[in-house]
Amino acid sequence: MMDFAEWSLSIQTQIIYLTICISVPSMALYIAQIVTIVRHKKFHNSFYVLFVMRAIPDCLGVLNSFYGQRLNAIIGGALYPIYSQFPNWMFAMNFFITGHTFQANFFATTFILLNRLTAIAMPTKHEKIWQKFLPLITIFVYFVPTLMYWPAFKMNAIFILRDPNSTTDRGFYIYEAGDNVSINGNNNGHDIEKKLLCYALATFLGHAIVAIQFALTDFWLVDDPKTRFMFASYFPLIMDTGTVMLSGYYCGPAAHSVNS
């Protein structure tokens, strides 16, 4: 009888197609919001700077998942000869970008929550304070994960077939060798701050779900390759929901409230 892990692996392709249906429109909305924020000065405040700061690794992480997992699972037969010619650093880059974007998301989410806290605790001063420290925060969010994850390029990364015994399924995984497998004088300001706080909490929840999935896969299930692969099957769905979908769709009402 097929257990849950085997069943999850058997429907991995369907899960990936589902995540593509989620991620493509979410990414389009996300990018449209980034362009809107950059083009309109009324959005040039600390909160939306942090929003864009986090949106960049969000989008990069999703694109990297196409390179490192999704495409090689659904069209592995076509990509297998190409990937087999790649040098080691191109496989290791997948691990680096995955870790870097996850950690950058974590830092940016933390700063967004702090931004909402100071907006409530010190509404008259918080924007000046944040504008002063935003350059340092930007360097921190992007540079610290680089220092943390550059050793990933030292990994002996390989790719392994999803089903070595199959003559038709040429899907594969990239794996590590040796691993076990504003205040404006009216009441609208309070409503805006509430909506932005809800946005920060909602996206924090999304990133927390992604973090839990990382922890389960990389630590708790480190000695169970089959279950690790099962969780890997759900990774695109969890990542898309926890990052670009929540951030993209929830920011719309928040931005509209500022605009109105």
Side-chain angles (χ1 to χ4, degrees):
M1 183 177 179
M2 183 182 297
D3 60 22
F4 182 73
E6 293 174 343
W7 176 80
S8 298
L9 291 174
S10 69
I11 63 168
Q12 183 188 30
T13 301
Q14 289 84 349
I15 294 174
I16 290 178
Y17 281 124
L18 174 62
T19 64
I20 292 174
C21 293
I22 294 174
S23 63
V24 170
S26 298
M27 284 276 289
L29 178 60
Y30 217 177
I31 293 172
Q33 290 171 350
I34 294 172
V35 172
T36 301
I37 291 170
V38 172
R39 292 183 60 185
H40 294 82
K41 290 185 178 180
K42 58 189 172 186
F43 295 124
H44 291 184
N45 58 51
S46 58
F47 172 81
Y48 286 104
V49 171
L50 293 171
F51 172 86
V52 174
M53 193 182 300
R54 187 175 66 180
I56 294 173
D58 270 344
C59 294
L60 183 59
V62 171
L63 293 175
N64 179 65
S65 73
F66 278 88
Y67 164 72
Q69 182 179 11
R70 303 190 208 202
L71 293 181
N72 48 35
I74 59 179
I75 55 172
L79 294 178
Y80 188 92
I82 301 174
Y83 275 55
S84 63
Q85 302 299 318
F86 285 172
N88 179 75
W89 69 267
M90 292 191 68
F91 295 139
M93 182 175 62
N94 171 65
F95 295 107
F96 171 78
I97 295 177
T98 299
H100 185 285
T101 54
F102 170 74
Q103 194 64 52
N105 277 326
F106 172 79
F107 288 146
T109 300
T110 302
F111 283 117
I112 287 176
L113 291 171
L114 289 174
N115 180 273
R116 293 301 87 207
L117 175 63
T118 56
I120 297 171
M122 49 181 73
T124 60
K125 298 180 180 179
H126 106 104
E127 188 61 31
K128 290 183 179 179
I129 295 174
W130 280 93
Q131 290 294 338
K132 181 179 180 180
F133 288 102
L134 276 176
L136 292 176
I137 292 172
T138 303
I139 295 173
F140 180 87
V141 168
Y142 292 134
F143 186 66
V144 171
T146 302
L147 292 178
M148 294 174 63
Y149 286 96
W150 72 266
F153 286 103
K154 296 182 179 180
M155 289 182 177
N156 183 19
I158 60 174
F159 63 92
I160 57 177
L161 292 174
R162 182 168 57 183
D163 186 358
N165 298 321
S166 174
T167 58
T168 57
D169 183 6
R170 306 305 291 174
F172 58 91
Y173 301 97
I174 297 178
Y175 220 60
E176 179 185 359
D179 194 6
N180 294 322
V181 159
S182 101
I183 304 302
N184 54 14
N186 56 41
N187 292 329
N188 289 337
H190 296 291
D191 294 334
I192 293 172
E193 297 301 337
K194 288 179 181 178
K195 290 180 180 180
L196 295 182
L197 176 61
C198 290
Y199 164 82
L201 293 175
T203 54
F204 171 77
L205 175 63
H207 286 80
I209 294 172
V210 177
I212 292 171
Q213 199 270 350
F214 262 91
L216 289 174
T217 304
D218 294 338
F219 299 105
W220 184 51
L221 302 172
V222 68
D223 294 324
D224 189 352
K226 184 174 72 172
T227 311
R228 283 171 61 91
F229 285 142
M230 177 199 72
F231 272 85
S233 299
Y234 290 104
F235 175 70
L237 180 62
I238 294 173
M239 183 180 67
D240 289 352
T241 303
T243 57
V244 294
M245 190 181 79
L246 276 175
S247 297
Y249 286 101
Y250 205 97
C251 185
H256 176 73
S257 66
V258 174
N259 189 27
S260 58

